[in-house]
Amino acid sequence: MILQVAVPSPLRRWFDYLPPKDTDPAILQPGMRLRLPFGRRTLVGVLCAIRTHSAVDPARLKAVLAVLDSEPLLPTPELRLLLWAQQYYHHAPGEVIQTALPKLLRQGQPAVAQRQAVWQLTTAGQTALAEDKLNRAPKQREVAELLQAQAAGVSAEQLRLIVPNALPAVRQLLEKGWVVSTSARCQITPRSATAPRLSAAQQQAIDQVDGVLGRFRAFLLDGVTGSGKTEVYLQLIERVIQRGEQILVLVPEISLTPQLLHRFECRLPVPLAVLHSALSARERLNAWLAARSGEARVVIGTRSAVFVPLQRLGLILIDEEHDPSFKQQEGFRYHARDLAVVRAQQAKIPVLLGSATPALESVHNVARGRYQRLALPERVGGARPPHVQTLDLRGQTLDEGLALPLIARIRDHLQRGEQALLFVNRRGYSPTLMCHECGWLGNCQHCDARLTLHLRRQRLICHHCGHIQPLPRHCPDCGSVDLRALGEGTERIEQALQRHFPEVGIARIDRDSTRRRGSLQQLLDDVHGGVRPLLLGTQMLAKGHHFPEVTLVAIINADQGLFSADYRASERLAQMIVQVAGRAGRAEKPGVVLIQTHHPQHPLLQQLAQSGYAAFATQALAERQATQLPPYTYQVLLRAEAEQASAAQDFLAQAAALGQPLTEDVEFLGPVPAPMERRAGRYRAQLLLQAHQRLSLHSFLQTWLEELDALPAGRRVRWSVDVDPIDLF
Ligand code: ADP
Ligand code: ZN
Ligand code: ZN
């Protein structure tokens, strides 16, 4: 008996082991974890298959040290999905399997949920608080007040974040009987919101999906922002719950907000598990186990949740399916949306992809008949879509990047008591610092990139590698003090707005202004409460939020996306404009969207302004077809990077030579230096493979990668394979 094991190692291969000596081999099943000797180390691997023979001489095989699970940790369907993904993405099996396991399980800890204790305030505690009995124990009072506000209870972990060093106070409260400890794993909130009456389009979408529960079908829910997509998800979830099945909901990290969770919790009185990056290792394991056992009926998570084991999966939902964050950009480079469709197919259940700006791949899949389109063409409540216009910057006087007519429009809207939102695609003060005397530019010493000026922090920061240096007072080359900031980031626009509207509250929302816990929420509350009617920010504004009082949306700088070397840039720009535009307005107050540009005649902007996203998508797909780019062809990107300038290119040149003669249909483009050749001190290059048939590309890869793995030059560089790359940088 030979055990084929996925060992946590970057090697693109399986490892064979013999069964453990003192264990009955009959108990072994694929999906169980094994403790193994590996070189001089002991590792935790996952048994993936049991075979009768090995390519390695059995006398040289080592025996497994211990079996860590009494039943498969990864059940057969999930293991099957992982093996499919391993083959499709041609990635190291060990790393693929690792992606599916919470950290504590990767480390070999037992797969048992430690019910997390939560503390709750007792009735006696509430009385004590009301009678001011805790006034002389401020810490205890602080804890009691917090618990009073959180009826579901607060865990030690949560408490630690809110009240530092609270444990002694908790102990005293426990002794007095004013606080009790209970255990909770999934939270159940009693239903507190009722469902609205569905529109005809919503009803139709739900009926279509409902009609195929228990069978595979992929749907694209193509609904403008505010058209009630989330409502469709909620009511579908209710139907699947009634069938006794579980639902997996995938969302982009950035939209997994407390508001979204609250909306789900209020509507779905069932145990809910949430998987996202901010969880502690223990919380993550608990949520994972609750999903696996079937206890959690709805599982909401980001990208990697696509692999979570679910006992009785009945439906998969993917919100904002166009979002690039569904693609993992390092290590095991998988696309969670694509894998979700495969998972649904394997599990014979429907999958619903929702977006106001569907990926061109998905639009194409509808055209090919692979996905069925469900449309929600109108906003709920009859709100009209915002009116999109370009604002011609040519010949205009600009004040810190703001055209004077834009400033006048902002003033108009504010005077009417309405709100305005400005989208700026960069944080910091300006993307470049230049010496006006000699032309010196503030470049990153590790990257082919400019340092971003952060005026408030008085720093130059590289947004690519994180390098930070103090702001120079003089030019390092000529000593001149005439250093000038070129271009605009959010900080600079904020200052300009403060100058023009000194009396008006401004909310700047970007990664810098929201670093502190709770600060984003505070800013959003101020916007909704009308304290800050002027709103500006980055991508963070483009998702999830709705600002009904906003009637003017301005895109400050759209032009970069129009002329990028990356053929996906125009798709991203169009999605971004439409998503930002969708944050604004409501029925009585339709919105206006102004796009500042030096290229008002650009076909992309024209198309968007006149006909909307669907027309843009049709045109963009026609261009992709004419130029034979995805989704009409299939791509694989071989990337390499090294500290020596030529090593990466050398490796790729050897790789390209190994591929000759090329299989028919497979084409090589490159090798070429990456558009940003040096990053974080490494030189990067890439070789693009393209084919008309997925199959020819994959069978070519199969043999070619084996040869690459054996190439000595490969050991002097870091290299990786990216199947269906979405980013060529
Ligand atoms: P989307 O997810 O497409 O942006 P939502 O589902 O969030 O849209 O709906 C937008 C708003 O309209 C929400 O406040 C939601 O509660 C409300 N809503 C959705 N469907 C209906 C409906 N049929 N009738 C009334 N209000 C609705
Ligand atoms: Zn100078
Ligand atoms: Zn850098």
Side-chain angles (χ1 to χ4, degrees):
M1 188 187 218
I2 306 290
L3 308 181
Q4 199 178 64
V5 183
V7 175
S9 133
L11 295 175
R12 203 184 326 271
R13 50 164 293 199
W14 300 94
F15 291 88
D16 289 348
Y17 282 86
L18 299 172
K21 298 205 171 71
D22 49 2
T23 311
D24 174 10
I27 64 153
L28 288 166
Q29 289 178 55
M32 290 178 166
R33 289 175 303 161
L34 307 171
R35 201 178 290 286
L36 322 150
F38 191 77
R40 275 186 228 143
R41 292 175 300 161
T42 305
L43 297 179
V44 176
V46 173
L47 175 58
C48 287
I50 297 172
R51 307 224 177 274
T52 48
H53 56 266
S54 170
V56 181
D57 174 8
R60 294 181 47 215
L61 290 179
K62 291 185 187 163
V64 165
L65 301 173
V67 183
L68 297 181
D69 300 305
S70 54
E71 57 182 278
L73 190 61
L74 290 170
T76 311
E78 283 76 15
L79 197 55
R80 183 172 162 222
L81 176 71
L82 286 161
L83 298 183
W84 189 95
Q86 190 278 320
Q87 292 204 334
Y88 183 80
Y89 291 105
H90 299 270
H91 195 74
E95 290 188 352
V96 172
I97 304 283
Q98 295 273 309
T99 308
L101 298 179
K103 183 164 147 213
L104 294 179
L105 297 182
R106 295 203 296 267
Q107 292 171 343
Q109 302 227 12
V112 284
Q114 265 180 13
R115 294 206 174 245
Q116 223 185 356
V118 297
W119 291 303
Q120 286 173 312
L121 200 62
T122 58
T123 325
Q126 285 170 9
T127 313
L129 194 60
E131 291 173 354
D132 290 335
K133 287 191 183 154
L134 286 169
N135 283 1
R136 279 188 300 166
K139 202 85 178 186
Q140 290 180 45
R141 200 176 112 173
E142 195 182 350
V143 172
E145 281 174 346
L146 177 74
L147 296 183
Q148 187 171 40
Q150 302 288 328
V154 173
S155 70
E157 205 132 13
Q158 292 164 322
L159 186 64
R160 184 170 45 85
L161 291 171
I162 308 169
V163 187
N165 308 319
L167 276 187
V170 172
R171 233 169 269 132
Q172 283 158 338
L173 289 166
L174 283 168
E175 275 169 25
K176 287 185 260 196
W178 291 351
V179 162
V180 285
S181 160
T182 56
S183 63
R185 192 154 20 136
C186 295
Q187 288 210 357
I188 309 177
T189 322
R191 184 200 296 267
S192 55
T194 48
R197 260 181 66 98
L198 294 171
S199 70
Q202 285 174 319
Q203 187 67 55
Q204 206 179 0
I206 290 172
D207 290 344
Q208 292 279 331
V209 182
D210 191 28
V212 299
L213 290 177
R215 277 182 286 154
F216 168 66
R217 188 168 304 168
F219 294 94
L220 176 66
L221 182 64
D222 186 352
V224 298
T225 38
S227 61
K229 294 186 292 296
T230 312
E231 189 57 44
V232 169
Y233 305 152
L234 287 167
Q235 302 215 14
L236 272 171
I237 290 172
E238 285 176 348
R239 299 207 188 178
V240 178
I241 288 172
Q242 280 160 17
R243 289 165 59 96
E245 295 168 341
Q246 291 172 289
I247 300 94
L248 174 62
V249 185
L250 299 179
V251 297
E253 183 85 47
I254 198 162
S255 41
L256 190 45
T257 56
Q259 287 89 329
L260 179 87
L261 287 179
H262 185 70
R263 196 164 162 198
F264 274 70
E265 283 167 353
C266 291
R267 284 287 296 281
L268 305 166
V270 293
L272 210 87
V274 184
L275 287 156
H276 61 82
S277 62
L279 297 181
S280 71
R282 175 56 64 183
E283 288 171 324
R284 198 172 174 83
L285 175 59
N286 286 345
W288 193 88
L289 291 169
R292 182 177 175 278
S293 69
E295 179 190 347
R297 304 299 300 279
V298 180
V299 177
I300 306 180
T302 50
R303 189 170 63 216
S304 66
V306 72
F307 298 114
V308 164
L310 292 150
Q311 281 251 311
R312 302 180 305 271
L313 181 58
L315 176 68
I316 306 179
L317 301 171
I318 304 167
D319 192 27
E320 311 286 3
E321 63 89 31
H322 65 281
D323 196 279
S325 77
F326 285 121
K327 175 76 193 265
Q328 170 128 323
Q329 301 280 25
E330 58 192 33
F332 172 31
R333 294 168 168 79
Y334 64 94
H335 202 303
R337 181 235 293 137
D338 297 346
L339 284 180
V341 174
V342 174
R343 183 168 185 175
Q345 194 164 22
Q346 292 181 344
K348 301 193 174 63
I349 56 167
V351 54
L352 178 68
L353 322 180
S355 177
T357 53
L360 293 183
E361 277 79 5
S362 301
V363 176
H364 182 56
N365 276 325
V366 170
R368 287 200 299 182
R370 295 197 168 189
Y371 297 173
Q372 182 180 337
R373 178 168 179 267
L374 304 170
L376 302 180
E378 274 158 29
R379 287 180 146 194
V380 169
R384 267 169 295 133
H387 185 59
V388 179
Q389 292 170 296
T390 52
L391 198 168
D392 189 352
L393 290 182
R394 288 172 300 179
Q396 292 271 8
T397 311
L398 292 181
D399 182 3
E400 315 272 28
L402 303 174
L404 301 185
L406 173 61
I407 295 169
R409 289 292 283 273
I410 296 174
R411 179 157 288 123
D412 271 3
H413 284 253
L414 291 176
Q415 273 168 1
R416 290 205 298 262
E418 297 165 6
Q419 303 184 343
L421 183 162
L422 276 63
F423 177 83
V424 186
N425 57 0
R426 279 200 214 88
R427 64 196 171 90
Y429 185 82
S430 86
T432 304
L433 185 66
M434 189 187 79
C435 170
H436 192 56
E437 282 297 314
C438 75
W440 168 89
L441 289 167
N443 286 320
C444 177
Q445 60 202 78
H446 313 287
C447 306
D448 294 330
R450 307 243 193 280
L451 295 165
T452 300
L453 169 61
H454 286 249
L455 201 58
R456 207 161 292 172
R457 291 173 66 190
Q458 290 285 301
R459 295 280 185 276
L460 292 177
I461 301 177
C462 176
H463 286 187
H464 302 281
C465 72
H467 171 79
I468 299 183
Q469 63 188 60
L471 192 59
R473 310 237 163 267
H474 321 271
C475 169
D477 280 0
C478 75
S480 161
V481 291
D482 192 359
L483 297 176
R484 298 193 183 179
L486 302 184
E488 295 80 31
T490 46
E491 260 188 47
R492 190 172 199 167
I493 304 279
E494 182 187 27
Q495 280 195 3
L497 292 174
Q498 280 166 347
R499 206 158 22 76
H500 285 283
F501 306 100
E503 312 288 302
V504 175
I506 300 175
R508 170 166 68 94
I509 295 184
D510 59 28
R511 252 175 43 219
D512 299 315
S513 71
T514 57
R515 202 148 289 173
R516 235 177 345 103
R517 235 183 137 78
S519 49
L520 173 62
Q521 196 48 50
Q522 185 58 52
L523 285 167
L524 293 174
D525 288 349
D526 287 354
V527 173
H528 289 297
V531 184
R532 297 174 193 258
L534 197 43
L535 180 61
L536 87 151
T538 56
Q539 257 85 317
M540 290 184 75
L541 280 182
K543 283 169 199 162
H545 312 292
H546 185 64
F547 305 104
E549 303 304 322
V550 167
T551 52
L552 174 67
V553 171
I555 314 282
I556 299 307
N557 179 359
D559 288 353
Q560 287 164 325
L562 293 175
F563 301 102
S564 167
D566 183 348
Y567 66 86
R568 284 178 206 271
S570 61
E571 177 185 355
R572 298 229 174 107
L573 177 64
Q575 288 168 341
M576 196 274 300
I577 292 175
V578 174
Q579 293 284 349
V580 176
R583 302 301 122 212
R586 57 179 183 190
E588 336 65 280
K589 293 182 182 173
V592 176
V593 179
L594 288 181
I595 305 173
Q596 292 202 130
T597 175
H598 283 97
H599 307 276
Q601 298 309 319
H602 194 284
L604 161 64
L605 296 179
Q606 290 282 319
Q607 197 98 39
L608 268 183
Q610 284 161 15
S611 323
Y613 184 81
F616 157 78
T618 309
Q619 153 118 21
L621 276 170
E623 274 172 29
R624 297 267 187 99
Q625 184 164 31
T627 45
Q628 289 298 290
L629 286 167
Y632 297 92
T633 50
Y634 301 95
Q635 294 184 334
V636 169
L637 192 64
L638 185 65
R639 291 193 185 84
E641 55 174 59
E643 271 159 37
Q644 303 77 36
S646 58
Q649 287 254 26
D650 286 350
F651 166 72
L652 293 180
Q654 288 188 37
L658 267 183
Q660 307 295 342
L662 279 174
T663 332
E664 205 184 331
D665 186 36
V666 178
E667 195 186 349
F668 274 0
L669 298 138
V672 291
M676 184 193 295
E677 185 174 10
R678 207 162 66 100
R679 180 171 175 161
R682 293 171 162 273
Y683 291 86
R684 310 175 315 143
Q686 56 197 34
L687 173 63
L688 187 66
L689 282 69
Q690 188 166 295
H692 289 89
Q693 302 296 327
R694 232 189 245 291
L695 202 62
S696 45
L697 194 53
H698 281 254
S699 51
F700 171 78
L701 271 183
Q702 191 73 43
T703 39
W704 188 53
L705 286 177
E706 266 175 38
E707 294 172 330
L708 291 196
D709 281 330
L711 207 58
R715 285 189 256 294
R716 291 190 286 276
V717 300
R718 254 195 230 157
W719 63 277
S720 62
V721 189
D722 191 349
V723 175
D724 305 330
I726 62 165
D727 214 335
L728 300 187
F729 296 178

